Amino acid sequence: MARKPSRADDQLAQLRPESPRRARLEVQFDEPTLLGALFGQFDANLVQIENRLGVYIAARGNRIQIEGPEEAVARARDVLKGMYQRLEQGHQLDSGAVESLIVMSSEPTLEGIITGSHDAPPIMIRTRKKTIVPRSAVQIDYMRALGSKDMIFALGPAGTGKTYLAVAQAVQQLITGSVQRLILSRPAVEAGERLGFLPGDMKEKVDPYLRPIYDALYDCMPPEQVERRIASGEIEIAPIAFMRGRTLADAFVILDEAQNTTQAQMKMFLTRFGQNSRMVICGDPRQVDIPGGDAQSGLADAVRRLEGVEGIGVVRFTSADVVRHPIVGRIVEAYEGKDA
């Protein structure tokens, strides 16, 4: 004989969280030649979406069925549509691009990011080697600022695309003739160690400090063009000490690792700004390596003084915007939580 539910059972049922509503829907894609890249090798892209969103995906020809919790199914549909639209626009699709779409699927503007609205084109940066689209919600704001502000402060942890996107925008403007040269700089400060004496000429001495900038350049331009433009002076890479006394006109200027400038260095650098120029200052305020720490950092001081000034933009990234690998975001979160 079945037990009659008690009042305690009713109270317990009220305390239990309701199971999410289940849903099933089908998405159809018209261009069969794109389906191989859409699904990925051995359906790796579909498996990635399944694992991240907790849905089940079945592909039958050019139709894809998605089943799972209602909200997750809707997000999976948006991710698949975003992937397909990227392929239609000629972009490559790797696990990092899929991951970025999954992260952005929680944003209500995902479709607008990919396709562009009726009165605005898609947000992207075109270079000789690739077309770059935003991989996080804050990257959208950053890429818009790169195209509209005279001076931008990009703040946040490693792996969020601060320097990479700035270099990509600089390369695009050099290629189109909007600026005549690129000037890429950073302070020559070691991160917690001393390299000691470095052999070679001045370029060979400072190259180890500037390697991340070189890497971004080579990713946006063919190596032979990078070397040719460096030799001709169109691309100049130098430590911040070389900026004193100059006026940087008709140039796209990037200062990387700006948290390791002193307040005097930062003031000197910012006042080099010339006609028809754009300046991007990138740094992580939580990774100051100079003596005196945060109190002496020129980046924090400059943002405090200049935020809100006309023509100057400030974009702040967090661990949620890390696009290198999901584990990098978790590492940043762990360290930020420990320091808090």
Side-chain angles (χ1 to χ4, degrees):
M1 181 175 177
R3 182 175 69 86
K4 183 178 179 179
S6 66
R7 185 175 179 181
D9 291 329
D10 293 338
Q11 292 175 338
L12 185 60
Q14 291 175 1
L15 292 174
R16 277 197 203 100
E18 294 184 8
S19 298
R21 293 177 57 184
R22 304 284 296 181
R24 178 188 297 172
L25 60 80
E26 184 175 273
V27 186
Q28 180 175 333
F29 298 105
D30 298 328
E31 184 52 65
T33 59
L34 298 179
L35 295 183
L38 181 71
F39 298 166
Q41 188 174 21
F42 304 116
D43 293 342
N45 294 341
L46 302 184
V47 172
Q48 184 175 353
I49 297 171
E50 287 180 324
N51 292 338
R52 290 284 281 107
L53 297 181
V55 297
Y56 172 75
I57 300 176
R60 295 179 177 86
N62 67 335
R63 299 173 184 271
I64 297 179
Q65 289 187 347
I66 312 168
E67 184 175 353
E70 189 173 45
E71 182 179 349
V73 166
R75 289 182 62 186
R77 174 202 59 203
D78 291 345
V79 171
L80 286 166
K81 286 184 176 180
M83 292 163 59
Y84 185 78
Q85 289 164 359
R86 284 195 176 185
L87 292 171
E88 281 187 314
Q89 294 166 1
H91 307 320
Q92 294 183 345
L93 199 62
D94 56 19
S95 61
V98 175
E99 178 65 27
S100 71
L101 285 169
I102 293 171
V103 172
M104 286 195 294
S105 66
S106 61
E107 299 291 325
T109 56
L110 175 60
E111 186 174 350
I113 295 166
I114 302 302
T115 62
S117 62
H118 67 280
D119 58 351
I123 301 169
M124 60 180 64
I125 299 172
R126 296 185 183 275
T127 68
R128 286 281 166 83
K129 292 184 68 175
K130 60 172 61 178
T131 299
I132 299 161
V133 294
R135 288 194 169 194
S136 77
V138 179
Q139 280 193 1
I140 301 163
D141 297 331
Y142 186 38
M143 290 172 72
R144 285 178 176 148
L146 286 171
S148 61
K149 298 290 186 180
D150 295 324
M151 183 179 293
I152 303 105
F153 289 88
L155 315 176
T160 50
K162 304 183 302 294
T163 304
Y164 185 88
L165 290 175
V167 172
Q169 179 72 20
V171 168
Q172 176 181 265
Q173 293 201 209
L174 181 64
I175 292 171
T176 59
S178 300
V179 296
Q180 300 302 311
R181 54 185 175 151
L182 309 187
I183 300 175
L184 313 171
S185 182
R186 63 183 286 173
V189 176
E190 297 97 340
E193 59 181 325
R194 296 289 177 225
L195 299 179
F197 173 77
L198 294 174
D201 58 21
M202 182 56 66
K203 180 178 182 300
E204 292 171 328
K205 290 178 185 292
V206 301
D207 273 0
Y209 301 102
L210 303 168
R211 180 49 51 189
I213 295 178
Y214 278 106
D215 291 342
L217 274 175
Y218 287 129
D219 207 33
C220 295
M221 297 179 71
E224 63 275 8
Q225 287 197 23
V226 174
E227 298 300 333
R228 177 171 57 81
R229 291 176 186 268
I230 290 176
S232 69
E234 289 178 88
I235 298 177
E236 178 183 349
I237 305 176
I240 192 172
F242 284 33
M243 299 296 111
R244 187 173 297 279
R246 302 177 60 183
T247 299
L248 308 177
D250 293 307
F252 197 112
V253 188
I254 300 172
L255 175 62
D256 195 23
E257 298 292 337
Q259 75 275 6
N260 288 328
T261 60
T262 65
Q263 295 176 16
Q265 285 177 323
M266 179 63 76
K267 180 182 177 182
M268 177 273 293
F269 183 82
L270 296 178
T271 53
R272 302 306 95 200
F273 195 90
Q275 293 293 327
N276 191 38
S277 287
R278 186 158 294 169
M279 189 174 281
V280 182
I281 300 95
C282 306
D284 182 357
R286 300 177 67 97
Q287 297 291 327
V288 179
D289 299 311
I290 58 174
D294 297 354
Q296 298 301 316
S297 174
L299 179 62
D301 179 66
V303 171
R304 179 177 59 81
R305 294 173 183 273
L306 301 176
E307 187 167 12
V309 173
E310 185 178 355
I312 297 177
V314 178
V315 180
R316 290 180 171 87
F317 293 88
T318 69
S319 58
D321 302 300
V322 172
V323 295
R324 281 184 185 161
H325 190 284
I327 198 170
V328 179
R330 294 193 287 271
I331 291 170
V332 172
E333 286 179 348
Y335 272 89
E336 288 182 348
K338 181 179 179 181
D339 294 340

